[in-house]
Amino acid sequence: MTFLCSCGQKARQQESEIQVVDKSQSESRLIEKIDNQIIKKKVGEELFKTILDTITINNVIVDFLTRNQWIYRPFDNCESFLKFQENGIGVSYNCEMEEEYEMTYRIEGNKVFIAEYDIPHVDNSEHKKIKYRDDTYVYNGHSLILIDSKMYNIGGREWIPEIEVVIDYKRKKY
């Protein structure tokens, strides 16, 4: 009698283990199916091209840039800005780095090209100022929207940053 009872318990135990395995396999298939449906997030150059396909671009003139404040909030309590002067120079402030950078800008057609300069602290014993990024913006009627970017290191290597979000500097009237 004892033998039959223990065999029955073993069979039930194996059966429940099989059900657990089957359940976990079906859950993993479900997770895989859900993962297969996830849309790849667009970043960098691919994101910039997508932005251009979805906005209307307005012309920009120097007076318009200099008579407005341009603010970007990457997250709460963090406010970056671009300040343009009439002579083609200005200041870029990055709230995430808590740093101001010198910038130059030019307007060509309906695009604003901005070059930012910094003095790197690493591998720069001479404290040489370098251009560390080139950005291109367009104006959509509300904001300056980043549509292209290149970054540079002190050795001159360039790359396109893997930006994952639309960066738009909202216009605030003075």
Side-chain angles (χ1 to χ4, degrees):
M1 186 81 132
T2 312
F3 175 71
L4 289 174
C5 288
S6 64
C7 287
Q9 286 177 341
K10 266 193 174 175
R12 279 192 295 270
Q13 186 179 9
Q14 286 175 342
E15 192 175 287
S16 66
E17 285 176 6
I18 290 169
Q19 287 175 346
V20 169
V21 169
D22 286 345
K23 184 180 178 186
S24 68
Q25 285 176 349
S26 66
E27 285 176 359
S28 68
R29 274 187 245 120
L30 179 62
I31 291 168
E32 287 171 14
K33 188 173 183 180
I34 290 169
D35 287 346
N36 290 339
Q37 293 174 355
I38 294 173
I39 297 169
K40 184 183 166 203
K41 194 173 193 177
K42 295 182 178 180
V43 297
E45 197 167 10
E46 194 175 48
L47 174 66
F48 298 143
K49 287 177 184 174
T50 304
I51 292 169
L52 279 175
D53 291 341
T54 62
I55 61 172
T56 303
I57 300 172
N58 297 337
N59 286 330
V60 178
I61 59 172
V62 173
D63 286 346
F64 182 71
L65 289 178
T66 60
R67 292 191 177 144
N68 291 287
Q69 290 182 349
W70 302 94
I71 297 170
Y72 170 63
R73 288 193 173 105
F75 49 87
D76 291 340
N77 300 322
C78 184
E79 194 171 89
S80 295
F81 60 80
L82 299 171
K83 284 186 182 177
F84 297 92
Q85 298 173 8
E86 291 183 16
N87 56 0
I89 62 172
V91 174
S92 167
Y93 175 74
N94 182 323
C95 65
E96 294 171 90
M97 302 295 289
E98 296 182 348
E99 299 238 1
E100 276 191 6
Y101 303 100
E102 292 179 27
M103 69 177 202
T104 60
Y105 72 93
R106 72 183 192 286
I107 300 170
E108 288 182 15
N110 57 7
K111 294 181 180 171
V112 179
F113 297 90
I114 296 176
E116 293 184 42
Y117 300 86
D118 187 23
I119 300 173
H121 303 292
V122 178
D123 296 333
N124 189 15
S125 56
E126 301 167 4
H127 299 295
K128 183 171 85 171
K129 186 186 304 183
I130 65 161
K131 176 166 63 168
Y132 86 96
R133 71 184 301 148
D134 279 318
D135 294 332
T136 305
Y137 291 86
V138 293
Y139 179 66
N140 71 348
H142 313 287
S143 306
L144 287 175
I145 299 176
L146 182 68
I147 59 157
D148 193 20
S149 184
K150 281 190 183 149
M151 297 189 78
Y152 309 95
N153 68 10
I154 196 159
R157 180 180 166 263
E158 73 177 51
W159 68 95
I160 295 172
E162 294 293 308
I163 295 170
E164 298 179 356
V165 296
V166 175
I167 295 177
D168 62 335
Y169 282 81
K170 304 258 186 249
R171 177 175 73 116
K172 276 191 172 178
K173 295 179 182 179
Y174 274 125

